């Protein structure tokens, strides 16, 4: 199993880099934001409940997210590993990942030389984020919502930096560089 987790604020390039690394590592790219947007566009029960939170830039409640992620991680393509983009986003989601990893380990046995979890903190300054997201112009990319998402990130997601760094799993990558350079740094991390 090879598992890669992207932390980092909205607009840090998690989605772009996760997609590139998924191709390189031949494991699925799992973006909770994308799965949620798909539910919203299909107007499923989950999508209808999640939309209010997404429009405001708040986190969708864990009780909705955790079932969705459990389901996705149980699909066959996730057996050899996965890249998580936008999850975990708070401490209880991070605890869920730890438990999931533990249960996979108990089932398969972990081979230390072959199995690895990398957590990437993609760092980008706030002013760059604001510019990038305003240019992207997704429905939740209005200035007011972006600033709120940044605040939610600081309050709920940034504590995961300490969570993973105390477990010696964290790698800091400067995301304020051309896409290819960021990918090269990520390749170095997974190959070192
Ligand atoms: P960004 O990282 O640019 O904010 P995402 O696509 O990751 O974009 O997320 C968009 C929205 O989807 C978030 O603002 C939030 O409402 C919801 N969302 C995505 N992932 C999660 C999650 N793990 N927990 C709760 N809400 C989530």
């Amino acid at each position: 199993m090879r598992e890669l987790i992207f932390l980092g604020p909205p607009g840090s390039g998690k989605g772009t880099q996760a997609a590139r690394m998924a191709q390189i590592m031949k494991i699925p790219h799992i973006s909770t934001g994308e799965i949620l947007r798909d539910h919203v566009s299909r107007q499923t029960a989950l999508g209808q409940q999640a939309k209010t939170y997404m429009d405001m830039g708040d986190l969708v409640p864990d009780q909705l997210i955790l079932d969705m992620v459990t389901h996705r991680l149980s699909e066959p393509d996730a057996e050899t590993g996965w890249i998580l983009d936008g999850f975990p986003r708070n401490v209880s989601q991070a605890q869920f990942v730890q438990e999931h990893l533990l249960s996979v380990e108990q089932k398969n046995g972990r081979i230390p030389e072959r199995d690895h979890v990398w957590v990437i903190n993609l760092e980008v300054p706030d002013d760059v984020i604001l510019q990038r997201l305003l240019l992207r112009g997704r429905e939740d990319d209005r200035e007011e919502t972006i600033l709120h998402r940044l605040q939610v990130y600081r309050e709920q997601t940034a504590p995961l930096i300490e969570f993973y760094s105390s477990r010696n799993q964290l790698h800091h990558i400067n995301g304020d560089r051309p896409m290819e350079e960021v990918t090269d740094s990520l390749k170095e991390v997974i190959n070192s």
Side-chain angles (χ1 to χ4, degrees):
M1 293 281 288
R2 285 146 62 88
E3 291 116 351
L4 193 55
I5 295 175
F6 279 95
L7 301 181
S12 57
K14 299 188 297 287
T16 307
Q17 296 299 331
R20 296 171 74 111
M21 293 309 287
Q23 284 219 322
I24 292 168
M25 298 170 76
K26 300 181 173 57
I27 48 179
H29 168 202
I30 301 177
S31 156
T32 45
E34 261 176 41
I35 301 174
L36 286 168
R37 280 188 290 280
D38 178 55
H39 277 275
V40 171
S41 73
R42 290 188 289 117
Q43 300 187 347
T44 65
L46 169 59
Q48 286 172 1
Q49 294 180 75
K51 188 175 187 318
T52 328
Y53 299 94
M54 296 169 76
D55 286 346
M56 294 193 316
D58 279 321
L59 294 190
V60 174
D62 286 346
Q63 111 212 37
L64 299 176
I65 296 286
L66 296 183
D67 278 351
M68 184 185 96
V69 173
T70 303
H71 179 257
R72 180 63 188 88
L73 289 177
S74 71
E75 285 181 35
D77 66 342
E79 260 169 34
T80 54
W82 35 253
I83 298 181
L84 288 180
D85 156 20
F87 185 93
R89 246 179 161 94
N90 60 29
V91 172
S92 74
Q93 293 182 5
Q95 280 159 350
F96 167 90
V97 174
Q98 298 300 109
E99 280 159 32
H100 176 81
L101 289 171
L102 210 63
S103 75
V104 170
E105 196 174 322
Q106 277 162 359
K107 210 172 82 192
N108 302 340
R110 191 163 273 274
I111 304 164
E113 315 83 68
R114 215 182 56 197
D115 292 348
H116 210 96
V117 184
W118 296 275
V119 183
I120 308 295
N121 181 30
L122 215 46
E123 296 172 303
V124 177
D126 282 4
D127 56 329
V128 176
I129 284 172
L130 193 62
Q131 282 170 11
R132 283 187 185 179
L133 293 184
L134 286 173
L135 276 176
R136 182 171 74 179
R138 206 171 65 195
E139 210 180 321
D140 56 347
D141 288 337
R142 284 173 293 110
E143 179 156 0
E144 198 185 82
T145 318
I146 295 169
L147 294 176
H148 183 64
R149 271 154 59 207
L150 280 172
Q151 189 193 342
V152 170
Y153 172 79
R154 261 183 236 108
E155 287 172 7
Q156 304 200 49
T157 312
L160 300 186
I161 293 171
E162 178 50 34
F163 181 97
Y164 287 113
S165 92
S166 68
R167 285 167 175 73
N168 293 319
Q169 286 177 320
L170 196 69
H171 301 268
H172 295 276
I173 303 261
N174 174 7
D176 187 15
R177 291 179 298 159
M179 231 156 48
E180 289 75 15
E181 280 184 34
V182 178
T183 309
D184 285 343
S185 298
L186 287 165
K187 284 196 226 163
E188 275 172 32
V189 167
I190 63 159
N191 290 325
S192 63

